[in-house]
Amino acid sequence: MTTENIPGRANDDLADAARRRFVSSLAAAAAVPGLILQTVAEAARPADQPVTDKVRWGLLVDTENCSDGCDACVTACDKEHNLEGFGRPTTDAQWIRTLTAKDKRTGRVVTLPMMCQHCEHPPCVDVCPTGASFRRADGIVLVDKHICIGCRYCMMACPYKARSFVHETIHDQKTYAPRGKGTVESCTMCVHRVDRGDNTTACAEACDRAGHQAILFGDLYDPDSEISRRMRERDVTQIRADLRLNTGVRYQGI
Ligand code: SF4
Ligand code: SF4
């Protein structure tokens, strides 16, 4: 595996062949039917200040702390955004899922959470015909449900299969996370928390509570942030770094 220790910046030159092979096999494994699908912080933006490109919010996942069989992050995300299930796991909305993937070359198995990677160059935004899919100045990628026409181009364009289409009428919505039948949605990096000045996400908080500390939220641009400090300490990987999307979600231990 290789290093990538420049937080928040495109650094594809550091992605070597070994990592690409492993990550490619990881992505391929995630697409195979039958694959086992099985916190912390710095000061966030004060709520009375506008979104700025002076920060780039991101998540760092330490797969060595991610516990096989644990779904605390998934459960917390579902609860936070009221992602109710309709008994149709292949189509029910899911903003975060846990993957267990095996490197075919080495036999090594890793468990990791997969959500929208909040790409700096998001294909989902490029293909959206209405502008509903957009990236904020602070790096968070969102869908404007009022503009989304449900064409699902973004779902096809996303290399991480991170987006869900809402097939059902939604009840009991959270006011901070509006959802709508016939629209597309994905992880918002708990933007409602960010915008009120919180310094963690529901998944990272739950992971902490479960005692694993596998997910860390923070500002990738701030060299003094905890997330930046940890990214300097150990090798960091972007899933499918070969696509040069400069993801806001980074991984360690793979
Ligand atoms: S992971 Fe997918 S949905 Fe998220 S920003 Fe990248 S392309 Fe868009
Ligand atoms: S489904 Fe909505 S967000 Fe996705 S490409 Fe179509 S209009 Fe844009």
Side-chain angles (χ1 to χ4, degrees):
M1 307 305 159
T2 57
T3 58
E4 187 192 351
N5 289 332
I6 305 176
R9 309 291 182 187
N11 195 24
D12 299 305
D13 290 345
L14 294 176
D16 71 1
R19 187 183 68 190
R20 281 196 294 271
R21 276 197 303 274
F22 174 73
V23 171
S24 295
S25 66
L26 186 69
V32 173
L35 173 76
I36 302 169
L37 292 180
Q38 317 234 33
T39 310
V40 225
E42 313 65 295
R45 175 179 67 85
D48 61 350
Q49 292 182 15
V51 174
T52 173
D53 62 2
K54 299 287 188 294
V55 302
R56 185 179 180 196
W57 300 119
L59 295 168
L60 178 63
V61 177
D62 185 347
T63 62
E64 291 180 3
N65 286 347
C66 189
S67 180
D68 187 18
C70 173
D71 66 350
C73 57
V74 176
T75 303
C77 179
D78 289 353
K79 185 176 178 191
E80 182 88 2
H81 305 100
N82 220 14
L83 304 183
E84 55 183 321
F86 294 91
R88 291 186 271 278
T90 54
T91 57
D92 280 347
Q94 196 173 22
W95 294 7
I96 180 171
R97 54 206 157 101
T98 55
L99 303 180
T100 297
K102 185 176 182 180
D103 187 332
K104 289 178 183 167
R105 292 174 300 114
T106 65
R108 188 161 157 249
V109 174
V110 293
T111 300
L112 55 87
M114 175 63 67
M115 67 289 274
C116 170
Q117 302 289 290
H118 297 278
C119 311
E120 181 183 13
H121 311 294
C124 59
V125 173
D126 291 343
V127 302
C128 181
T130 66
S133 193
F134 69 102
R135 180 181 184 271
R136 299 202 330 176
D138 59 3
I140 298 177
V141 176
L142 299 170
V143 177
D144 184 336
K145 308 296 170 17
H146 296 287
I147 303 175
C148 177
I149 57 174
C151 66
R152 289 173 262 190
Y153 288 173
C154 58
M155 290 178 68
M156 288 183 274
C158 174
Y160 306 100
K161 301 185 187 303
R163 291 202 157 172
S164 299
F165 181 76
V166 180
H167 292 266
E168 317 283 351
T169 300
I170 304 296
H171 303 285
D172 303 323
Q173 297 191 45
K174 303 286 188 185
T175 54
Y176 52 75
R179 308 176 61 214
K181 182 178 180 180
T183 67
V184 166
E185 57 189 24
S186 54
C187 160
T188 64
M189 209 181 283
C190 283
V191 67
H192 58 289
R193 289 180 175 230
V194 174
D195 284 349
R196 71 183 182 215
D198 287 5
N199 56 18
T200 189
T201 60
C203 57
E205 187 177 72
C207 187
D208 257 8
R209 203 181 304 121
H212 299 141
Q213 286 90 38
I215 307 176
L216 180 64
F217 167 81
D219 180 7
L220 299 171
Y221 283 172
D222 178 1
D224 298 322
S225 66
E226 177 71 7
I227 195 169
S228 295
R229 186 184 64 73
R230 291 224 205 147
M231 288 174 71
R232 285 194 296 272
E233 287 176 352
R234 288 171 53 210
D235 294 355
V236 176
T237 298
Q238 296 181 51
I239 304 291
R240 293 298 312 267
D242 56 310
L243 298 176
R244 304 189 175 201
L245 302 179
N246 193 16
T247 56
V249 180
R250 309 294 177 93
Y251 294 82
Q252 290 179 318
I254 59 176

